[in-house]
């Protein structure tokens, strides 16, 4: 199993541009998550999904959108990039077994200039 | 008061030392406790998992949870340079008790550990 994969690994955007961060998991996990990690600030939850067709906001959803059409994929959309969205983005997934343990992808580094 | 507090360090120890990493929390509903290890420019990886109070040991790593004090610890024995990483504590109330969002993990900010040869 590849686990959780993310593309791209690194991207530079200009202010106002849009992009989609891709996330795929092959573990048949129901739950998926998007986090951003800023230096010294820990992991902040952007959006999460408990299954295909179901998404909900996390702690810092402004400026982002998500969709979940399949169990495997959970893309994160940035519509109008701003410098404040410069960060490292991690996708994660977990099973609905009550343990709440999450498995993370390798991350996407985004720089908005 | 933040939900989860973790000293960011950095913490520097000599090889072979015993390392103690800690987190405190305020939400008494938390019952699932985890430690993640994150190497530089990598994603977090699950290191230890504990349900409710007690100890759990896995090789050189021991996780302790004291719910009465709202305090969790990770001990690393015989620390190695390969243990140099950022360690994040994470905890959850569990999705079944209070609704969906309560199952989401709350992370500490991470403690950066450096083990010197």
């Amino acid at each position: 199993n590849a686990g959780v994969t993310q593309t791209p690994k690194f991207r530079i955007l200009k202010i106002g541009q849009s992009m989609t961060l891709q996330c795929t998991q092959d573990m048949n996990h129901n739950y998926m998550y998007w986090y951003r990690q800023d230096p010294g600030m820990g992991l902040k939850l952007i959006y999460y999904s408990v299954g295909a067709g179901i998404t909900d906001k996390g702690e810092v959803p402004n400026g982002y959108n998500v969709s979940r059409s399949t169990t495997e994929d959970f893309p994160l959309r940035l519509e109008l990039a701003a410098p404040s969205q410069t960060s490292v983005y991690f996708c994660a997934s977990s099973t609905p077994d009550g343990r709440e343990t999450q498995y993370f992808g390798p991350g996407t580094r985004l720089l908005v200039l | 008061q933040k939900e989860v507090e973790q000293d960011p360090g950095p913490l520097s120890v000599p090889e072979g030392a015993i390392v103690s990493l800690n987190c405190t929390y305020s939400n008494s509903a938390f019952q699932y406790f985890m430690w993640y290890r994150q190497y530089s420019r990598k994603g977090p990886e699950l290191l230890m998992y504990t349900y409710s109070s007690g100890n759990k040991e896995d090789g050189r790593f021991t996780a302790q949870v004291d719910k009465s004090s709202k305090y969790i610890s990770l001990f690393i024995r015989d620390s190695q340079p390969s243990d140099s990483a950022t360690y994040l504590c994470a905890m959850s109330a569990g999705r079944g008790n209070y609704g969906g969002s309560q199952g989401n993990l709350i992370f500490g900010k991470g403690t950066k550990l450096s083990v010197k040869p």
Side-chain angles (χ1 to χ4, degrees):
Chain A
N1 286 351
V4 180
T5 57
Q6 292 182 240
T7 56
K9 290 184 180 179
F10 177 67
R11 182 78 182 268
I12 299 175
L13 279 183
K14 294 182 179 179
I15 294 172
Q17 286 186 322
S18 301
M19 77 165 293
T20 298
L21 283 67
Q22 301 291 345
C23 175
T24 300
Q25 53 92 9
D26 62 0
M27 298 175 283
N28 202 31
H29 286 174
N30 293 70
Y31 299 157
M32 296 188 74
Y33 312 83
W34 273 106
Y35 294 89
R36 60 177 288 169
Q37 187 177 41
D38 301 305
M41 298 301 293
L43 287 159
K44 301 291 187 184
L45 183 64
I46 304 171
Y47 272 95
Y48 68 101
S49 169
V50 299
I54 307 170
T55 63
D56 208 346
K57 296 177 181 179
E59 184 181 357
V60 290
N62 290 346
Y64 307 95
N65 278 301
V66 294
S67 60
R68 183 96 182 271
S69 57
T70 67
T71 299
E72 295 78 20
D73 301 305
F74 190 39
L76 178 71
R77 180 81 177 162
L78 283 70
E79 290 293 350
L80 292 170
S84 60
Q85 292 177 306
T86 293
S87 189
V88 182
Y89 292 85
F90 290 102
C91 179
S93 69
S94 66
T95 57
D97 60 2
R99 289 167 56 91
E100 310 300 345
T101 51
Q102 295 181 16
Y103 299 88
F104 284 79
T108 294
R109 293 183 172 274
L110 177 65
L111 179 60
V112 182
L113 298 175
Chain B
Q1 182 184 12
K2 290 185 171 34
E3 259 194 308
V4 177
E5 301 263 16
Q6 182 176 12
D7 187 338
L11 181 62
S12 182
V13 301
E15 183 175 354
I18 296 175
V19 176
S20 173
L21 304 168
N22 312 293
C23 288
T24 59
Y25 62 94
S26 58
N27 188 345
S28 58
F30 287 151
Q31 53 182 332
Y32 301 94
F33 303 92
M34 278 145 267
W35 286 94
Y36 283 82
R37 178 175 60 195
Q38 185 176 21
Y39 291 114
S40 181
R41 304 179 83 86
K42 301 289 186 183
E45 57 176 332
L46 182 65
L47 188 61
M48 297 288 284
Y49 166 85
T50 309
Y51 171 70
S52 194
S53 284
N55 295 0
K56 185 171 184 178
E57 187 173 325
D58 184 0
R60 296 184 295 109
F61 298 89
T62 300
Q64 288 186 350
V65 174
D66 182 349
K67 292 189 70 178
S68 62
S69 302
K70 298 190 179 66
Y71 189 88
I72 72 170
S73 301
L74 177 71
F75 297 96
I76 307 174
R77 291 184 300 280
D78 187 25
S79 57
Q80 303 295 309
S82 58
D83 296 326
S84 298
T86 296
Y87 291 80
L88 301 107
C89 62
M91 47 200 80
S92 164
R95 206 165 298 277
N97 288 350
Y98 299 101
S101 64
Q102 296 302 319
N104 293 336
L105 288 179
I106 307 298
F107 286 85
K109 292 185 177 182
T111 300
K112 187 171 184 178
L113 171 68
S114 177
V115 181
K116 304 294 186 184

